[in-house]
Amino acid sequence: MAQKRVRWLESTTFAKIQKMKQVQLYKNKEQSVLRRHPWIFSGAIDLASEDLEDGDVVEVLDAKGKTLATGHFQNATIAVRVLAFDKKEIDAVFFTEKIAAAVELRRKLNLFREDHSICRLVHGEGDGLPGLVIDYYNKVAVVQRHSVGMYRSVNLIAEALQKAFSSEELIAVYNKSSETLSNKEHIEDGYLFGDCTVPHVALENGVKFNIDWIYGQKTGFFIDQRENRALLGKYAQGKSVLNTFCYSGGFSLTALQNGATFVHSLDSSAKAIELTDVNIALNGFKNHASIVADAMEYLKDLPESYDIIVLDPPAFAKHRDKRHKAIQGYKRLNANAIRQIKPGGILFTFSCSQVIDKFLFTNTVIAAAIEANRNVRILEQLHQPADHPISAFHPEGEYLKGLVLYVE
Ligand code: SAH
């Protein structure tokens, strides 16, 4: 928070009377909170309790002193992440209820099955828990905290998880936050409860994956592409597939499971290709080859043509100021794939950059098709799955978008 804008309150006014620390907004800055948007930016804050520290639970007041919300404070652009739109103790009961509700939604989505044991349990703002991500891999929960408030709440989170599941359903909780929190507090990854050796086998729609939350990217797997991988399965029978930016081979394995004639998996990370190869062997699939290469370079001049190409790059733009360059990157990538795919080919193309919305992405892909000089039709419009829900009041929660194109 820009300190100069904040008139620190005398402790007698707020801190001593009220147990919960407080922040007060400038006049007319309460509108977005009234619309249930879960972020309060530092520029909206007029007054704050004088002993406020990163990670504190704060009551948010409007300019007249009326309670608007309760949230986690952090001295950053997003100064408060709202946890409740009233005054609420953020205690064991709070986390138990929130996490139980999140798990209940995934049960409704039928994501815990004999042939399927991977899902996202908690998706930040989408589950009313900004700053917290929890993924589930066959009886193991992996917690990623993106705020100091969540960092401090770790024991409550681990306890709430154990209450939400039976002891057969949850054998361990691993904390992986050292990459996601850049903070003074000493952060070490490790088990909060139980123990489990990695890699650990978990199933996505009947396909086995070795999940390594300790050494893998993110929490170990890109769960958000589950439904899009399943959709690729419907197109894969008898087809040749190039899966670029493959990571641990999610799209490749789903294509092979569904009768692809052969699949080539490409990633610039040798470690990712190793994961893919291990997963191919784990499932006993044949007709697969791996390529360690830069996808942008490789796609300039493909040594062979494919029936299906998958483009699932990492976020090219993490901030608005990188958007223009990112669009050029997406355009180049898509134009090269569209130009070289077989006639009647199917392109699965994605963007997970939050700052590039679905309209901008679609327009970029259309521009790529024009550049490639091929007639292209949009068959399907894709997005993130239901276990990555978007709060209707937090449109920023929408990040994954994709298209299935038919290239004539
Ligand atoms: N499609 C994957 C997830 C992709 S994550 C899945 O379904 O699981 C993005 C991947 O792109 C990472 O594995 C990263 O190593 C890889 N990557 C990043 N830059 C790359 C580049 N220039 N060329 C090829 N791969 C790249």
Side-chain angles (χ1 to χ4, degrees), residues 204 209 217-218 220-226 229 243-252 266-270 272-273 291-297 310-316 350 352:
E204 180 185 87
F209 286 95
Q217 295 184 27
K218 306 273 168 109
F221 192 62
F222 290 86
I223 301 176
D224 56 3
Q225 289 287 24
R226 176 187 60 245
R229 287 193 275 256
N243 177 20
T244 64
F245 307 93
C246 69
Y247 185 53
S248 58
F251 283 102
S252 308
L266 181 146
D267 202 285
S268 57
S269 153
I273 288 299
I291 305 158
V292 179
D294 181 311
M296 304 298 280
E297 286 300 315
V310 180
L311 304 175
D312 184 23
F316 282 169
F350 298 94
C352 59

Side-chain angles (χ1 to χ4, degrees), residues 37-55:
H37 193 285
W39 295 345
I40 295 169
F41 292 98
S42 59
I45 295 176
D46 182 9
L47 304 169
S49 301
E50 65 175 5
D51 51 351
L52 206 50
E53 285 175 17
D54 278 0

Side-chain angles (χ1 to χ4, degrees), residues 204-207 209 225-241 243 249-261 263 285 308-310 346-348 350 380 382 404:
E204 180 185 87
N205 291 324
V207 181
F209 286 95
Q225 289 287 24
R226 176 187 60 245
E227 306 300 331
N228 301 327
R229 287 193 275 256
L231 186 68
L232 173 71
K234 293 190 186 162
Y235 286 87
Q237 177 70 40
K239 300 291 191 300
S240 59
V241 179
N243 177 20
F251 283 102
S252 308
L253 281 115
T254 310
L256 288 166
Q257 184 200 28
N258 288 280
T261 44
V263 176
F285 290 145
I308 298 179
I309 298 179
V310 180
I346 302 282
L347 178 67
F348 275 67
F350 298 94
E380 324 241 13
L382 311 177
V404 180

Side-chain angles (χ1 to χ4, degrees), residues 73 150 180 190 333 374:
F73 171 80
M150 287 300 176
T180 52
L333 192 63
R374 304 264 310 254

Side-chain angles (χ1 to χ4, degrees), residues 260-315:
T261 44
F262 69 87
V263 176
H264 291 165
S265 303
L266 181 146
D267 202 285
S268 57
S269 153
K271 173 82 185 143
I273 288 299
E274 216 175 281
L275 295 174
T276 298
D277 289 344
V278 167
N279 285 331
I280 293 283
L282 183 67
N283 288 274
F285 290 145
K286 304 269 183 301
N287 307 322
H288 178 263
S290 297
I291 305 158
V292 179
D294 181 311
M296 304 298 280
E297 286 300 315
Y298 195 82
L299 275 155
K300 278 184 188 164
D301 189 13
L302 288 177
E304 61 188 293
S305 199
Y306 296 87
D307 297 310
I308 298 179
I309 298 179
V310 180
L311 304 175
D312 184 23

Side-chain angles (χ1 to χ4, degrees), residues 80-135:
V80 180
R81 290 164 202 259
V82 175
L83 301 164
F85 289 91
D86 54 9
K87 185 168 179 178
K88 199 165 189 87
E89 285 294 330
I90 306 302
D91 54 9
V93 174
F94 171 82
F95 280 105
T96 301
E97 286 177 2
K98 282 280 183 191
I99 288 177
V103 172
E104 185 53 34
L105 172 61
R106 278 68 183 173
R107 289 196 199 282
K108 284 198 177 116
L109 298 171
N110 196 20
L111 290 173
F112 306 101
R113 308 190 308 265
E114 194 125 303
D115 70 330
H116 185 90
S117 54
I118 300 175
C119 70
R120 174 150 293 188
L121 290 179
V122 171
H123 185 62
E125 287 80 1
D127 284 291
L129 291 166
L132 184 64
V133 162
I134 308 178
D135 288 340

